[in-house]
Amino acid sequence: MRCLVTGASGYVGGRLVPALLEAGHSVRCLARTPAKLRDHPWAGRAEVVRGDVTDAASVRSAMRGMDVAYYLVHSLGGGPDFEERDRRAATVFAGEARRAGLSRIVYLGGLTPAGVPEQDLSPHLRSRAEVGRILLECEVPAAVLRAAVVIGSGSASFEMLRHLTERLPAMVTPRWVRTPIQPIAVRDVLRYLVGCARLPAEVNRAFDVCGPDVLTYREMMRQYARVAGLPRRLVLPVPVLSPRLSSLWIGLVTPVPGRLARPLTESLRHEVVCREHDIAGYVPDPPGGLTGFRRSLELAVQRIKEADVATRWTAASVPGTPGDPLPTDPGWAGGDLYTDHRRTVVDAPPEAVWRVIEGIGGRNGWYSAPAAWTLRGWADQVAGGVGLRRGRRDPQRLRAGDELDFWRVEEIEPGRLLRLRAEMRLPGLAWLEMRVGRDERGRTVYRQRSVFHPRGFAGHLYWWGVAPLHALVFGGMARNIASAAERGAGDGTGDGSPGAPPPAGAGAAAEGPAGPARRRGGGPGRG
């Protein structure tokens, strides 16, 4: 079938497109900024057109020749008039779907609590319910899927849960942590969305979609702590935190912006549990059943780790399953990142610098503070880690996947880039990246970046505990790699095996700020 997807740059939409393609459908994406979709792994397999759901002409053009249209846009945290904007967009979309003669509209909305009048719902849920009603009243058959909390790496709900649990061993919480919730794994949401493309024409209704488990938010936090290997969290609910205060608190403690946290917390004031499971009559549950909450956490935690390595940090590979993380996850999804940048102009050709870079580690050492590196290796061994004892496979050449002391080669672009992932015992994830190239004046430039993704409060303490050593370790490394390259170029050996590093600062000009920095983001990016 020919499917139009709106919201393809969003969390669910970005996963739905490859899932539809995998199911054999053709896909067209309607996007206000098509450039945002060009780096998706599926970009070359789906058509992308420019438009806005509030603009009838662009929606009409996008729907031309389509069979099914997915409506996955919502002004979550979008300002005081977001309900009016959502109402207008849904009205335009429904009207153009009727004119285009589509066979189906599919919408992912929010699960509303039973027995609560619509006027008493949060603005966020009230708007979701209204959009669903507008689409159902259209002459085109519609399927409105109503979900509570979606659990998946990078989802706002998961990231809020994750960071609250990781960063606060004990917390005073609002009373909504005792509200029963029935979450659903993102992979099951995608299964239902894809399946709805082939619903019979007479189906025009809403469906509750949930996972198999009903829990309170407090139970969800405790389960996350167990899955993540954290000590048991102490949660003390109090009745004094309003949704607004809760959102400010969440915005302070977690990377989730307050403007997103508020509608999420407002939606948790009432019990959100499925009242029916009729969707299974049209889209059968998988053979092993729907994904349980604990399993969805395990998948999300594992893929968050993989995302920092395979998706957000390196060139993204095609995700293996619909629930895999994608490079367009929200920028705040990965939490805090601490970075240390160094830039040095080198009086030697790039090839000489690369020989030094590729020869690093093992017997050649790390070009700075050898006692500090040795001490760190011993400490890692005492903690049960690999230490510096692994050395390197080849004294001169590296390849992706090689062990290199307590690092592993994650990516190598010969002559240009070496990226290492730390495998020592750390309260977080760490990388060391070394690049060589030329600047706009034709000079050889060596760039070095270390990145640390902390895990819990201990991770933040670790970074700031070792920060005073960064000038010695990382600054010395950048200077001495440059000096070794200059000596190798000068004596014609190009050896990259300088023996003892030269005095700090010898022969190389360092430029730009070099201190540790902190930013909030989903991954280290592409340097």
Side-chain angles (χ1 to χ4, degrees):
M1 302 188 75
R2 297 164 296 180
C3 301
L4 173 68
V5 177
T6 63
S9 59
Y11 176 72
V12 173
R15 287 162 168 73
L16 176 62
V17 172
L20 288 170
L21 292 169
E22 182 66 23
H25 302 294
S26 63
V27 178
R28 175 184 295 165
C29 302
L30 175 67
R32 285 183 297 179
T33 310
K36 289 184 177 180
L37 302 180
R38 66 186 176 191
D39 293 329
H40 279 274
W42 45 260
R45 301 164 59 202
E47 180 186 2
V48 180
V49 298
R50 185 184 302 276
D52 191 295
V53 289
T54 61
D55 176 52
S58 63
V59 173
R60 185 179 311 128
S61 177
M63 287 183 174
R64 189 171 297 121
M66 296 290 103
D67 301 309
V68 178
Y70 285 87
Y71 192 77
L72 302 175
V73 294
H74 186 65
S75 303
L76 182 61
D81 60 341
F82 81 92
E83 290 184 81
E84 172 56 32
R85 292 202 307 274
D86 282 347
R87 184 182 305 116
R88 184 171 67 253
T91 301
V92 168
F93 198 82
E96 294 305 323
R98 177 179 56 80
R99 293 185 183 91
L102 296 187
S103 61
R104 168 74 51 196
I105 296 173
V106 183
Y107 169 58
L108 179 61
L111 183 62
T112 55
V116 178
E118 190 167 305
Q119 64 269 20
D120 292 338
L121 296 176
S122 69
H124 161 62
L125 275 184
R126 188 168 59 239
S127 179
R128 289 278 179 108
E130 182 182 21
V131 168
R133 188 167 56 251
I134 291 171
L135 298 178
L136 286 172
E137 292 172 353
C138 172
E139 295 178 14
V140 176
V144 174
L145 305 184
R146 301 184 298 206
V149 172
V150 177
I151 299 297
S153 57
S155 76
S157 296
F158 172 75
E159 294 298 333
M160 188 173 84
L161 171 71
R162 171 190 174 203
H163 289 287
L164 282 176
T165 310
E166 286 188 352
R167 298 186 177 183
L168 298 174
M171 62 194 95
V172 175
T173 58
R175 58 187 176 189
W176 49 255
V177 299
R178 293 174 291 191
T179 302
I181 305 163
Q182 195 168 357
I184 183 170
V186 66
R187 57 174 49 201
D188 290 330
V189 172
L190 295 172
R191 178 184 178 86
Y192 288 137
L193 287 170
V194 173
C196 281
R198 300 190 184 277
L199 288 177
E202 65 271 14
V203 176
N204 183 62
R205 56 163 293 183
F207 295 96
D208 292 353
V209 292
C210 299
D213 302 315
V214 177
L215 314 93
T216 66
Y217 206 85
R218 176 165 52 182
E219 291 168 336
M220 290 168 64
M221 288 190 285
R222 286 175 173 167
Q223 284 212 31
Y224 178 85
R226 287 194 290 270
V227 168
L230 301 171
R232 182 180 175 87
R233 270 31 190 169
L234 178 62
V235 181
L236 302 173
V238 296
V240 294
L241 289 180
S242 67
R244 182 178 182 276
L245 289 176
S246 294
S247 66
L248 294 174
W249 167 63
I250 291 168
L252 177 66
V253 174
T254 81
V256 179
R259 63 183 176 83
L260 295 182
R262 182 167 184 177
L264 292 175
T265 55
E266 286 178 334
S267 301
L268 298 174
R269 290 183 300 166
H270 304 289
E271 178 178 310
V272 277
V273 175
C274 280
R275 299 178 290 274
E276 44 84 9
H277 188 48
D278 297 347
I279 187 69
Y282 302 96
V283 184
D285 293 344
L290 297 174
T291 309
F293 178 71
R294 184 183 179 89
R295 179 58 180 158
S296 67
L297 286 182
E298 291 170 346
L299 291 169
V301 169
Q302 178 61 31
R303 286 167 182 166
I304 282 290
K305 295 177 182 178
E306 293 173 356
D308 291 316
V309 172
T311 307
R312 295 190 183 97
W313 176 280
T314 63
S317 59
V318 177
T321 69
D324 280 350
L326 296 174
T328 51
D329 280 347
W332 44 261
D336 291 324
L337 292 175
Y338 293 107
T339 62
D340 182 282
H341 296 264
R342 308 281 162 172
R343 180 183 185 276
T344 301
V345 175
V346 188
D347 187 18
E351 296 79 11
V353 180
W354 178 253
R355 282 191 291 269
V356 177
I357 292 172
E358 195 172 13
I360 202 166
R363 292 186 177 181
N364 290 335
W366 294 87
Y367 293 90
S368 70
W373 286 98
T374 300
L375 182 62
R376 184 65 183 88
W378 286 344
D380 192 56
Q381 285 183 248
V382 170
V386 297
L388 292 172
R389 58 191 172 192
R390 296 191 303 188
R392 50 181 294 154
R393 176 189 57 85
D394 183 286
Q396 294 181 325
R397 296 288 178 263
L398 292 173
R399 64 188 182 194
D402 274 1
E403 297 171 343
L404 184 57
D405 294 332
F406 46 40
W407 304 88
R408 185 172 297 276
V409 179
E410 181 176 284
E411 184 173 344
I412 184 168
E413 297 177 16
R416 179 175 177 269
L417 165 70
L418 175 64
R419 181 176 295 130
L420 307 176
R421 183 180 73 249
E423 293 190 341
M424 72 280 281
R425 292 296 181 94
L426 288 170
L429 304 171
W431 296 265
L432 177 62
E433 180 182 273
M434 291 164 274
R435 290 179 180 267
V436 62
R438 294 189 183 274
D439 64 10
E440 63 282 355
R441 296 163 58 184
R443 301 178 300 177
T444 299
V445 176
Y446 169 71
R447 292 181 174 86
Q448 177 181 295
R449 178 172 63 164
S450 60
V451 178
F452 183 64
H453 184 326
R455 177 177 175 268
F457 187 60
H460 295 273
L461 288 179
Y462 172 83
W463 174 265
W464 290 111
V466 300
L469 298 175
H470 289 171
L472 172 67
V473 175
F474 295 129
M477 178 186 294
R479 290 190 297 270
N480 294 331
I481 284 176
S483 296
E486 290 172 350
R487 289 202 316 278
D491 63 21
T493 64
D495 187 290
S497 304
E511 299 183 356
R518 179 188 183 193
R519 73 178 179 86
R520 305 179 87 161
R526 290 284 301 170

